[in-house]
Amino acid sequence: MELQINIPKMKQIRRVLEQKILQRLQPGKVIVLYGARRTGKTYLLRRLLEQVAEPYLLLNGEDKAVQDQLAERSVAQYRTFLGDRRLLVVDEAQKIPEIGAKLKLMVDEIEGLKVLVTGSSAFDIHQQFGEPLTGRKLSYRLFPIAEMEWASEENMLEQKTRLHERLVLGSYPELIHLPNREQKTEYLRELVSSYLLKDILEMEGLRHSSKLQDLLRLIAFQIGSEVSLNELSRQIGMDVKTVDKYL
């Protein structure tokens, strides 16, 4: 007799942006989906592609082969690359040098082309896309799961019961699948050290990671209150102008 094992199905929250992006996906436009790391951009991308009937080309901007393939800004090469597909999807698009100018050339010269791109970091996306795509792009920012998105999966009692934990730990999608508070806390610590601080410190070559953590902690304690730059400066022992820059 075969042993039957029931494995609980992983909860999948429908994101509000899903239908909005599908409706806005049109020829001659570049849809830019950006936001913090681990908010579910790649998962949302897969969900969107499951609902697209037409052929598409999916690229990963972190792939060196993809970067090399798109290195030469040539309409003829881009046409060959795309073939008969008129939907281009690029995950981690900010990793491709001059991606804004390249996408502008594509949508201007290849008739009927629709483009959907994602990027992990807001400042990288804006630096890379910038002016070239003015008037040609629609930008959407993906946040962690909102309470109105939870409402589609939980009744009012469940939402109220779990609200306190979400206010403390946040609503990053991966927390859904972690079984206890200890593992969730460990995940968040890793997220802060591996991603948040790395991104912020690299943005403008900021040097004092420990001071940055102190600043974040002080701000967290003052949620709902007015914040004084002078007071923050005094408490962490840094110049007011430096504190302002870090914020």
Side-chain angles (χ1 to χ4, degrees):
M1 181 177 175
E2 186 178 348
L3 179 64
Q4 297 290 327
I5 301 176
N6 293 320
I7 300 174
K9 191 176 180 181
M10 292 180 75
K11 184 174 286 189
Q12 298 180 345
I13 309 294
R14 183 177 294 275
R15 308 307 301 271
V16 170
L17 284 180
E18 188 174 314
Q19 286 305 310
K20 188 174 289 189
I21 290 174
L22 285 171
Q23 291 167 5
R24 299 292 193 276
L25 204 54
Q26 55 189 284
K29 292 289 184 182
V30 177
I31 302 292
V32 180
L33 175 65
Y34 70 96
R37 298 175 189 262
R38 312 306 299 172
T39 51
K41 294 181 299 299
T42 300
Y43 168 75
L44 177 56
L45 198 61
R46 289 200 298 266
R47 287 273 305 172
L48 293 168
L49 292 178
E50 287 173 1
Q51 300 172 69
V52 170
E54 63 187 295
Y56 58 83
L57 176 62
L58 174 60
L59 305 175
N60 187 333
E62 293 185 310
D63 189 328
K64 185 64 167 61
V66 170
Q67 296 174 14
D68 293 342
Q69 197 85 13
L70 297 178
E72 183 184 349
R73 210 181 299 176
S74 161
V75 176
Q77 182 164 318
Y78 295 157
R79 288 186 195 276
T80 302
F81 197 50
L82 283 162
D84 60 355
R85 292 163 292 200
R86 287 299 175 266
L87 174 57
L88 173 63
V89 183
V90 187
D91 198 15
E92 300 292 352
Q94 84 280 355
K95 299 292 185 180
I96 300 173
E98 299 181 310
I99 185 62
K102 290 170 182 176
L103 291 178
K104 174 185 179 296
L105 184 61
M106 290 184 201
V107 296
D108 284 353
E109 299 297 330
I110 301 176
E111 187 176 354
L113 181 64
K114 295 180 275 190
V115 180
L116 171 59
V117 301
T118 75
S120 292
S121 138
F123 44 84
D124 276 347
I125 277 287
H126 288 309
Q127 287 171 3
Q128 290 286 339
F129 281 58
E131 200 172 306
L133 288 174
T134 301
R136 297 171 179 83
K137 70 178 172 69
L138 295 170
S139 299
Y140 295 98
R141 185 172 181 181
L142 186 66
F143 291 94
I145 301 168
E147 282 302 300
M148 63 179 174
E149 292 170 326
W150 281 113
S152 65
E153 299 293 328
E154 299 176 340
N155 60 44
M156 290 182 67
L157 180 59
E158 288 173 324
Q159 266 197 287
K160 186 174 181 180
T161 302
R162 294 166 183 164
L163 178 60
H164 177 74
E165 183 181 82
R166 291 203 283 261
L167 286 172
V168 174
L169 299 179
S171 289
Y172 277 94
E174 202 159 332
L175 294 178
I176 301 170
H177 311 299
L178 297 178
N180 56 56
R181 192 182 181 100
E182 182 181 354
Q183 288 188 30
K184 292 178 181 182
T185 303
E186 184 180 349
Y187 171 80
L188 290 172
R189 284 203 182 102
E190 178 65 20
L191 191 68
V192 170
S193 60
S194 298
Y195 293 127
L196 174 63
L197 291 178
K198 178 174 177 285
D199 277 357
I200 294 176
L201 292 171
E202 286 181 354
M203 181 169 61
E204 290 189 47
L206 305 181
R207 296 186 301 276
H208 304 292
S209 61
S210 61
K211 296 288 188 182
L212 189 57
Q213 287 178 311
D214 291 341
L215 180 59
L216 287 170
R217 192 174 292 109
L218 284 172
I219 294 169
F221 286 142
Q222 295 187 45
I223 286 176
S225 306
E226 289 188 8
V227 174
S228 163
L229 288 180
N230 289 320
E231 181 61 18
L232 292 174
S233 168
R234 185 187 65 77
Q235 290 195 51
I236 63 175
M238 292 185 73
D239 181 75
V240 174
K241 290 182 179 178
T242 305
V243 170
D244 187 42
K245 180 182 179 182
Y246 276 34
L247 285 174

